[in-house]
Amino acid sequence: MKGKKVVIAQSVSVYAITKGGKYCVTDTIKITKLAGKKVSTNSLKLTLKNGKTAQIIAAETPAEKNKTIKCYRGLCYESSNSKVATVTKNGKIKAVKKGTCKIYVYAQNGVYKTITITVK
């Protein structure tokens, strides 16, 4: 390439927490409120009318008692079909079009929860 810098691949950064320290990783993600209502872990479903919004309130649970989760980034949110519903980086869902999709809430170590969204 005659001295030119060329990026041929890029990987995601990986952070590791070792035993014996004061930090730990996320064990589970708990969805505490969905659209302003408390939810149980068995009912992660939400029905919205087209154009309406709802907020996800979620928290990470540490894998070990008395330890802090070392976060390099907060929780991330992703829609399986942005033509049906979108979600912001802060967990605000917007119903876009009639249908069903999944919203994923995931931590930096890959632990995630799934919420089923139905738009009518």
Side-chain angles (χ1 to χ4, degrees), residues 48-53 84-86 93-97 117 119:
L48 292 171
K49 289 183 179 179
N50 192 3
K52 297 295 181 181
T53 62
V84 174
T86 60
I93 303 166
K94 182 173 182 183
V96 177
K97 182 178 142 186
I117 305 295
V119 178

Side-chain angles (χ1 to χ4, degrees), residues 45-63:
K45 296 179 182 180
L46 179 64
T47 300
L48 292 171
K49 289 183 179 179
N50 192 3
K52 297 295 181 181
T53 62
Q55 182 68 45
I56 301 169
I57 305 295
E60 297 175 78
T61 304

Side-chain angles (χ1 to χ4, degrees), residues 31-99:
I31 308 295
T32 55
K33 286 189 179 180
L34 186 56
K37 298 177 185 175
K38 288 186 179 180
V39 295
S40 71
T41 55
N42 299 329
S43 64
L44 292 175
K45 296 179 182 180
L46 179 64
T47 300
L48 292 171
K49 289 183 179 179
N50 192 3
K52 297 295 181 181
T53 62
Q55 182 68 45
I56 301 169
I57 305 295
E60 297 175 78
T61 304
E64 298 177 50
K65 281 186 174 184
N66 302 320
K67 291 204 175 183
T68 304
I69 297 169
K70 183 68 174 177
C71 288
Y72 294 97
R73 65 167 171 78
L75 292 172
C76 291
Y77 303 88
E78 184 177 3
S79 174
S80 67
N81 188 345
S82 59
K83 292 179 181 178
V84 174
T86 60
V87 64
T88 67
K89 65 180 181 177
N90 299 319
K92 187 172 184 177
I93 303 166
K94 182 173 182 183
V96 177
K97 182 178 142 186
K98 188 176 180 178

Side-chain angles (χ1 to χ4, degrees), residues 1-44:
M1 289 289 164
K2 296 191 179 186
K4 288 187 178 181
K5 181 179 177 182
V6 177
V7 176
I8 57 170
Q10 189 173 1
S11 69
V12 177
S13 297
V14 176
Y15 301 98
I17 303 294
T18 58
K19 283 189 168 192
K22 63 180 179 177
Y23 298 110
C24 67
V25 295
T26 301
D27 182 46
T28 59
I29 294 175
K30 184 175 182 181
I31 308 295
T32 55
K33 286 189 179 180
L34 186 56
K37 298 177 185 175
K38 288 186 179 180
V39 295
S40 71
T41 55
N42 299 329
S43 64
L44 292 175

